[in-house]
Structures are given as C-alpha cells and as structure tokens.
Amino acid sequence: MLKIVGFVVIVAVTAYFIRMDELIEHLTWRLALAVVLIQPLVFLTCAPITTRFRLLTGRPKLRYWAVYKAMLVGLGLNLIVPGRAAELLKVVYLQKKEGLPFAQGAAALFMERLGDLIIASAMAVLSLNLFMFGLDTVGVIVSLAVLFTVVTAIPFMERPLLFVLSLIP
C-alpha cells in the first residue's frame, strides 16, 4: 500500500510542476524513433558494467542474468530517483535474488563509483591540460603521468580512505 501511495504522490507532484503544453510540443515522432533506436546500445553497454560489478563483488559466480537485471533496474530508476539513490536498489535486488551480503554489494558499488570518479577526474585533468596548453605532447605526457600516479597510489591510500569513510555519518 505504501508503494502505491508513494507512486501516486510522485505522479501528482510531477503533474503539478510540468507544463503539459510544453511537454506535448517537444514530443515528436523523430524523438520517439531516436529513443527506440538507442535502446540496443543501452542494453549492450550494460554487459561490461555487469561483468565489472560481478568481479568487484568478489563473487564472480553470481548469475550473470540476475546482475544484468540489477544493472538495468539501477539504470532505469536513476532516471527518476534523485541523487543516484537507485544504485542501492541494485544491491538490495542482488541481496534478495542471489543472497549477496549487503555489505559486499555496497562495497562493490562504492568501488564502482570510485572508479568512475577516477576516470572523470582523469578526463578533467586531460581536458584542462589541452585547454591550457593546446595539443602539445609534453602536456599530454604530464597529464598521463599524473593519472598513472593517482591510479598507482590508490592501493596505498587504504587508511586515508577508511578514515574519510569513518567521518561519514
């Protein structure tokens, strides 16, 4: 019953804040076709993400299809749930369906987000370098050296990372 009430509240709030005339104006057949045509790419990109998550859990024997469905649930719900909170639903789903301990799944999720942060940071450093210094070889080499140093240092940062995590309530 609580789920139904929550769904009704979300629909009511959304309907109150959305101007339907503007929404209908932007819904075109071309947009609908684009959404349909991009779906195979979405499903294909979930395959390596599923493999990564299975490996990060330390339990590669988890059924691939169950983890794949969990990835799709997280991906879909992240479109409507703020703050990527739906990521935790992946862990809960795998806890219920595969018996994955919540702590183990949450740790894998944390490592996923940490990896994403590292890649995004590397892209930002490289982009900043290219913006500031142009396409010179030295700048790219320095950026890659910084990236390599950061990635190499991560295993040695266990204590500082645990300390930062202990500060989070």
Side-chain angles (χ1 to χ4, degrees):
M1 183 65 178
L2 185 60
K3 291 178 184 178
I4 295 171
V5 171
F7 179 74
V8 169
V9 168
I10 289 172
V11 169
V13 169
T14 302
Y16 179 76
F17 286 107
I18 289 180
R19 293 188 51 194
M20 292 305 284
D21 56 332
E22 288 182 10
L23 179 67
I24 291 171
E25 177 184 328
H26 292 294
L27 291 176
T28 63
W29 285 108
R30 185 175 177 198
L31 177 63
L33 180 63
V35 168
V36 169
L37 291 177
I38 200 70
Q39 293 313 304
L41 184 61
V42 171
F43 289 116
L44 284 174
T45 58
C46 277
I49 294 170
T50 300
T51 302
R52 176 179 71 172
F53 192 82
R54 284 176 69 208
L55 293 174
L56 287 174
T57 61
R59 295 178 66 184
K61 298 225 186 256
L62 287 172
R63 288 182 311 135
Y64 186 86
W65 187 243
V67 179
Y68 186 80
K69 287 194 283 188
M71 295 300 120
L72 289 177
V73 165
L75 181 67
L77 288 176
N78 274 330
L79 297 173
I80 57 174
V81 177
R84 296 187 65 88
E87 293 288 323
L88 288 174
L89 291 177
K90 293 192 299 194
V91 178
V92 172
Y93 179 84
L94 290 171
Q95 181 184 24
K96 299 274 189 217
K97 296 292 184 185
E98 294 293 307
L100 179 69
F102 185 82
Q104 200 171 8
L109 183 63
F110 176 77
M111 292 307 295
E112 261 192 327
R113 297 291 73 85
L114 182 62
D116 292 346
L117 177 66
I118 291 168
I119 297 299
S121 299
M123 291 172 58
V125 167
L126 187 59
S127 298
L128 185 62
N129 186 332
L130 293 175
F131 175 73
M132 292 178 65
F133 303 111
L135 291 174
D136 66 340
T137 308
V138 174
V140 172
I141 290 173
V142 168
S143 295
L144 292 175
V146 168
L147 172 64
F148 178 76
T149 303
V150 168
V151 169
T152 305
I154 286 176
F156 304 105
M157 296 174 55
E158 181 178 356
R159 284 188 185 269
L161 286 174
L162 289 173
F163 173 72
V164 169
L165 287 176
S166 71
L167 297 176
I168 299 173

